[in-house]
PDB file of all heavy atoms in Angstrom:
ATOM      1  N   GLU B 158     -43.507 139.920 -13.242  1.00 98.00           N
ATOM      2  CA  GLU B 158     -42.649 138.986 -12.505  1.00 98.00           C
ATOM      3  C   GLU B 158     -42.070 137.956 -13.467  1.00 98.00           C
ATOM      4  O   GLU B 158     -42.608 137.717 -14.547  1.00 98.00           O
ATOM      5  CB  GLU B 158     -43.444 138.293 -11.383  1.00 98.00           C
ATOM      6  CG  GLU B 158     -44.595 137.463 -11.906  1.00 98.00           C
ATOM      7  CD  GLU B 158     -45.512 136.940 -10.807  1.00 98.00           C
ATOM      8  OE1 GLU B 158     -45.415 137.409  -9.654  1.00 98.00           O
ATOM      9  OE2 GLU B 158     -46.342 136.067 -11.129  1.00 98.00           O
ATOM     10  N   ILE B 159     -41.005 137.323 -13.019  1.00 98.00           N
ATOM     11  CA  ILE B 159     -40.281 136.381 -13.868  1.00 98.00           C
ATOM     12  C   ILE B 159     -41.108 135.124 -14.125  1.00 98.00           C
ATOM     13  O   ILE B 159     -41.927 134.707 -13.287  1.00 98.00           O
ATOM     14  CB  ILE B 159     -38.911 136.050 -13.225  1.00 98.00           C
ATOM     15  CG1 ILE B 159     -37.913 135.514 -14.263  1.00 98.00           C
ATOM     16  CG2 ILE B 159     -39.069 135.081 -12.059  1.00 98.00           C
ATOM     17  CD1 ILE B 159     -36.474 135.584 -13.764  1.00 98.00           C
ATOM     18  N   SER B 160     -40.940 134.534 -15.308  1.00 98.00           N
ATOM     19  CA  SER B 160     -41.604 133.274 -15.663  1.00 98.00           C
ATOM     20  C   SER B 160     -40.615 132.477 -16.514  1.00 98.00           C
ATOM     21  O   SER B 160     -40.278 132.889 -17.626  1.00 98.00           O
ATOM     22  CB  SER B 160     -42.884 133.579 -16.453  1.00 98.00           C
ATOM     23  OG  SER B 160     -43.387 132.397 -17.029  1.00 98.00           O
ATOM     24  N   TYR B 161     -40.139 131.372 -15.988  1.00 98.00           N
ATOM     25  CA  TYR B 161     -39.105 130.596 -16.679  1.00 98.00           C
ATOM     26  C   TYR B 161     -39.744 129.801 -17.817  1.00 98.00           C
ATOM     27  O   TYR B 161     -40.706 129.074 -17.609  1.00 98.00           O
ATOM     28  CB  TYR B 161     -38.398 129.660 -15.691  1.00 98.00           C
ATOM     29  CG  TYR B 161     -37.728 130.426 -14.581  1.00 98.00           C
ATOM     30  CD1 TYR B 161     -38.392 130.670 -13.381  1.00 98.00           C
ATOM     31  CD2 TYR B 161     -36.449 130.939 -14.756  1.00 98.00           C
ATOM     32  CE1 TYR B 161     -37.789 131.394 -12.371  1.00 98.00           C
ATOM     33  CE2 TYR B 161     -35.836 131.677 -13.753  1.00 98.00           C
ATOM     34  CZ  TYR B 161     -36.514 131.904 -12.557  1.00 98.00           C
ATOM     35  OH  TYR B 161     -35.907 132.632 -11.573  1.00 98.00           O
ATOM     36  N   GLN B 162     -39.202 129.959 -19.008  1.00 97.00           N
ATOM     37  CA  GLN B 162     -39.768 129.293 -20.186  1.00 97.00           C
ATOM     38  C   GLN B 162     -38.687 128.519 -20.924  1.00 97.00           C
ATOM     39  O   GLN B 162     -37.567 128.987 -21.081  1.00 97.00           O
ATOM     40  CB  GLN B 162     -40.379 130.328 -21.138  1.00 97.00           C
ATOM     41  CG  GLN B 162     -41.542 131.100 -20.547  1.00 97.00           C
ATOM     42  CD  GLN B 162     -42.783 130.248 -20.353  1.00 97.00           C
ATOM     43  OE1 GLN B 162     -43.126 129.440 -21.219  1.00 97.00           O
ATOM     44  NE2 GLN B 162     -43.465 130.417 -19.224  1.00 97.00           N
ATOM     45  N   GLN B 163     -39.092 127.337 -21.388  1.00 94.00           N
ATOM     46  CA  GLN B 163     -38.154 126.490 -22.135  1.00 94.00           C
ATOM     47  C   GLN B 163     -38.134 126.913 -23.601  1.00 94.00           C
ATOM     48  O   GLN B 163     -39.176 127.046 -24.240  1.00 94.00           O
ATOM     49  CB  GLN B 163     -38.613 125.034 -22.029  1.00 94.00           C
ATOM     50  CG  GLN B 163     -37.713 124.048 -22.736  1.00 94.00           C
ATOM     51  CD  GLN B 163     -36.783 123.331 -21.759  1.00 94.00           C
ATOM     52  OE1 GLN B 163     -37.096 123.187 -20.589  1.00 94.00           O
ATOM     53  NE2 GLN B 163     -35.643 122.881 -22.256  1.00 94.00           N
ATOM     54  N   LEU B 164     -36.936 127.135 -24.130  1.00 91.00           N
ATOM     55  CA  LEU B 164     -36.786 127.444 -25.553  1.00 91.00           C
ATOM     56  C   LEU B 164     -35.557 126.675 -26.022  1.00 91.00           C
ATOM     57  O   LEU B 164     -34.499 126.787 -25.408  1.00 91.00           O
ATOM     58  CB  LEU B 164     -36.576 128.950 -25.726  1.00 91.00           C
ATOM     59  CG  LEU B 164     -36.832 129.537 -27.107  1.00 91.00           C
ATOM     60  CD1 LEU B 164     -38.295 129.447 -27.489  1.00 91.00           C
ATOM     61  CD2 LEU B 164     -36.399 131.001 -27.142  1.00 91.00           C
ATOM     62  N   ASN B 165     -35.696 125.911 -27.096  1.00 85.00           N
ATOM     63  CA  ASN B 165     -34.642 124.949 -27.444  1.00 85.00           C
ATOM     64  C   ASN B 165     -34.374 124.070 -26.212  1.00 85.00           C
ATOM     65  O   ASN B 165     -35.293 123.570 -25.603  1.00 85.00           O
ATOM     66  CB  ASN B 165     -33.350 125.630 -27.918  1.00 85.00           C
ATOM     67  CG  ASN B 165     -33.532 126.426 -29.202  1.00 85.00           C
ATOM     68  OD1 ASN B 165     -34.567 126.333 -29.871  1.00 85.00           O
ATOM     69  ND2 ASN B 165     -32.546 127.195 -29.558  1.00 85.00           N
ATOM     70  N   GLU B 166     -33.113 123.967 -25.829  1.00 85.00           N
ATOM     71  CA  GLU B 166     -32.734 123.084 -24.716  1.00 85.00           C
ATOM     72  C   GLU B 166     -32.618 123.832 -23.392  1.00 85.00           C
ATOM     73  O   GLU B 166     -32.149 123.268 -22.411  1.00 85.00           O
ATOM     74  CB  GLU B 166     -31.369 122.431 -25.024  1.00 85.00           C
ATOM     75  CG  GLU B 166     -31.328 121.654 -26.317  1.00 85.00           C
ATOM     76  CD  GLU B 166     -32.319 120.494 -26.323  1.00 85.00           C
ATOM     77  OE1 GLU B 166     -32.242 119.647 -25.415  1.00 85.00           O
ATOM     78  OE2 GLU B 166     -33.191 120.470 -27.227  1.00 85.00           O
ATOM     79  N   ARG B 167     -33.042 125.076 -23.370  1.00 91.00           N
ATOM     80  CA  ARG B 167     -32.622 125.946 -22.262  1.00 91.00           C
ATOM     81  C   ARG B 167     -33.799 126.708 -21.666  1.00 91.00           C
ATOM     82  O   ARG B 167     -34.761 127.004 -22.353  1.00 91.00           O
ATOM     83  CB  ARG B 167     -31.587 126.906 -22.855  1.00 91.00           C
ATOM     84  CG  ARG B 167     -31.191 128.087 -22.051  1.00 91.00           C
ATOM     85  CD  ARG B 167     -30.013 128.787 -22.666  1.00 91.00           C
ATOM     86  NE  ARG B 167     -28.830 127.913 -22.653  1.00 91.00           N
ATOM     87  CZ  ARG B 167     -28.119 127.654 -21.564  1.00 91.00           C
ATOM     88  NH1 ARG B 167     -28.452 128.171 -20.401  1.00 91.00           N
ATOM     89  NH2 ARG B 167     -27.074 126.864 -21.632  1.00 91.00           N
ATOM     90  N   LEU B 168     -33.689 127.026 -20.367  1.00 96.00           N
ATOM     91  CA  LEU B 168     -34.682 127.896 -19.739  1.00 96.00           C
ATOM     92  C   LEU B 168     -34.251 129.352 -19.912  1.00 96.00           C
ATOM     93  O   LEU B 168     -33.062 129.661 -19.840  1.00 96.00           O
ATOM     94  CB  LEU B 168     -34.809 127.588 -18.238  1.00 96.00           C
ATOM     95  CG  LEU B 168     -35.520 126.292 -17.858  1.00 96.00           C
ATOM     96  CD1 LEU B 168     -35.488 126.115 -16.336  1.00 96.00           C
ATOM     97  CD2 LEU B 168     -36.964 126.273 -18.353  1.00 96.00           C
ATOM     98  N   LEU B 169     -35.245 130.218 -20.146  1.00 97.00           N
ATOM     99  CA  LEU B 169     -34.959 131.646 -20.288  1.00 97.00           C
ATOM    100  C   LEU B 169     -35.863 132.436 -19.344  1.00 97.00           C
ATOM    101  O   LEU B 169     -37.017 132.051 -19.122  1.00 97.00           O
ATOM    102  CB  LEU B 169     -35.204 132.113 -21.727  1.00 97.00           C
ATOM    103  CG  LEU B 169     -34.225 131.649 -22.810  1.00 97.00           C
ATOM    104  CD1 LEU B 169     -34.703 132.110 -24.175  1.00 97.00           C
ATOM    105  CD2 LEU B 169     -32.821 132.168 -22.550  1.00 97.00           C
ATOM    106  N   PRO B 170     -35.354 133.549 -18.792  1.00 98.00           N
ATOM    107  CA  PRO B 170     -36.178 134.378 -17.900  1.00 98.00           C
ATOM    108  C   PRO B 170     -37.102 135.319 -18.676  1.00 98.00           C
ATOM    109  O   PRO B 170     -36.731 136.438 -18.979  1.00 98.00           O
ATOM    110  CB  PRO B 170     -35.140 135.155 -17.086  1.00 98.00           C
ATOM    111  CG  PRO B 170     -33.947 135.266 -17.983  1.00 98.00           C
ATOM    112  CD  PRO B 170     -33.961 134.059 -18.878  1.00 98.00           C
TER     113      PRO B 170
END
Side-chain angles (χ1 to χ4, degrees):
Chain B
E158 62 189 13
I159 201 163
S160 168
Y161 300 93
Q162 297 290 318
Q163 181 101 26
L164 199 66
N165 297 349
E166 303 299 304
R167 167 170 296 285
L168 287 177
L169 289 175

